Structure formats: C-alpha cells, structure tokens
Amino acid sequence: MGFAVCVFCASSSRIDAKYLDLATQVGTELAGRGHTLVSGGAQVSCMGAVARAARAGGARTIGVIPEGLVSVEISDEDNDELIVTPDMRSRKGEMDRRSDAFLILPGGIGTLEELFEVWTARVLAMHEKPVVILDPYGVYDPLRELMTGLMDQGFARAKIFDAIGWTGSVDEAFDLLERSQPRIEPTAEDYAEAEI
C-alpha cells in the first residue's frame, strides 16, 4: 500500500538538466509504486519536474508553499492539493505532518536545511519516518565527509548514519523508503550533542 513521500529538492533554474531528469525519474517511480507526493509546491526546477512526472503517472500530489513565495517560485496550481502557509517554518511543519517518509535530492541551502531538520529529529527519535538521500552525482559527498569528520572528532555518534539511507539509485532509494528502518534510541549524550 502506498504512502506519502516528501521530496526535498532544488527550486533553482540554473542547474544542469541531469538534475531535472533525476527529479522526473523520481516522480515516475513514486507514481509507479503507488505513493503520494508531498513537495514544496512550486512548478519550477526539480520541484516542478518531480510533481509533473508523479501526476503523469497517476500519483496524487500535495504542494506546500509559503505565502511569500507564491509569486516568486510560481506555485504549482496543478497539484491535487495546494496548501499556502504563512511562512517557511509552518511550511516545513505541514510537509512533515503530511509525510510518511523523506527523500532528499541534490539541492541548495533550503534543501540542506530541510534535510538536517528531519535527520536530526530522526536521530533524536522524534519521528520514525525513513530518511533517504538520493545522490547519483556525488553532490553530497563533501557533506558525508563533513559528518564523518564530526564523528571522528566526537561531535556526533555513529548512529547519525544509522538514521539515514544514502544511495545513488532511484530504485534503491524507494526500496529503502519502503523498508522499515530500525528504531533509534537516543541517549542523554545524543541530546547534549544535538546542541538544542
């Protein structure tokens, strides 16, 4: 049975076409597996590509966009449901609430912010929803190295990688999302290290 997959991805129009192709593949695969798409609600760049491909395959799409970006990002009125929130914080909260899993594609600072929020919450057992990074082109390789370095220096524990899947394959990304990931039990040290 399908579930709601939140896809975090780029809204930039200056990216290479291969990232748009990846977003299209994700939307097609999502629809083929019977899932619902939750996305940032814009019709531009990867956000638009994943939503169009999902709808073309028969998937339900839910877009969530903050009021201040409706005209800037050009909201995707073709979504089955388009939710306009007052601000970015409420946008992320609504996307989280409506999603059963998170898939992160290559993107910029906004995508990174979304990734870190759901990743941290999973490490702290604030949710049990699968979190998967799909990165066939190595965009996030420096991030992986950074996080490994933080572990090596004692700023994070190995369980940060237990809380996330990392792949370069669309098929494997959805396989990971569909498999139940083990529950992570946080310790007092984990909360302290989260610097919250």
Side-chain angles (χ1 to χ4, degrees):
M1 181 167 176
F3 52 84
V5 179
C6 182
V7 177
F8 294 134
C9 58
S11 61
S12 172
S13 60
R14 297 182 301 278
I15 58 174
D16 191 288
K18 67 188 178 185
Y19 299 111
L20 298 174
D21 291 342
L22 177 63
T24 299
Q25 291 172 42
V26 164
T28 300
E29 186 70 17
L30 180 146
R33 293 189 183 221
H35 300 312
T36 295
L37 172 69
V38 178
S39 71
Q43 65 174 330
V44 296
S45 190
C46 292
M47 270 195 226
V50 71
R52 284 189 296 274
R55 283 193 296 271
R60 176 174 167 74
T61 62
I62 301 168
V64 186
I65 191 166
E67 189 173 13
L69 294 181
V70 169
S71 59
V72 176
E73 290 192 21
I74 313 170
S75 58
D76 185 352
E77 303 294 330
D78 290 332
N79 276 296
D80 294 294
E81 190 175 354
L82 181 65
I83 300 140
V84 179
T85 63
D87 52 42
M88 291 290 279
R89 286 177 188 254
S90 53
R91 175 202 214 179
K92 288 188 298 177
E94 188 67 17
M95 292 172 81
D96 290 355
R97 186 179 72 77
R98 289 174 170 267
S99 302
D100 302 305
F102 300 96
L103 179 60
I104 297 87
L105 307 186
I109 191 168
T111 305
L112 286 172
E113 182 204 17
E114 292 160 337
L115 163 62
F116 275 114
E117 185 163 328
V118 297
W119 191 0
T120 300
R122 176 135 173 85
V123 168
L124 298 176
M126 294 179 174
H127 71 79
E128 294 184 27
K129 302 172 183 180
V131 179
V132 174
I133 291 175
L134 172 57
D135 184 24
Y137 302 110
V139 171
Y140 292 130
D141 285 353
L143 172 63
R144 199 170 194 169
E145 290 173 18
L146 171 64
M147 299 310 291
T148 301
L150 291 175
M151 275 189 338
D152 292 345
Q153 296 181 65
F155 289 108
R157 294 176 184 267
K159 68 174 63 177
I160 63 171
F161 287 112
D162 295 339
I164 196 164
W166 211 300
T167 182
S169 158
V170 173
D171 286 342
E172 185 180 13
F174 279 94
D175 288 346
L176 289 171
L177 290 173
E178 291 169 354
R179 281 201 297 266
S180 176
Q181 293 181 345
R183 179 175 172 78
I184 296 168
E185 297 293 343
T187 64
E189 290 93 355
D190 293 324
Y191 285 107
E193 287 172 0
E195 299 181 5
I196 53 176

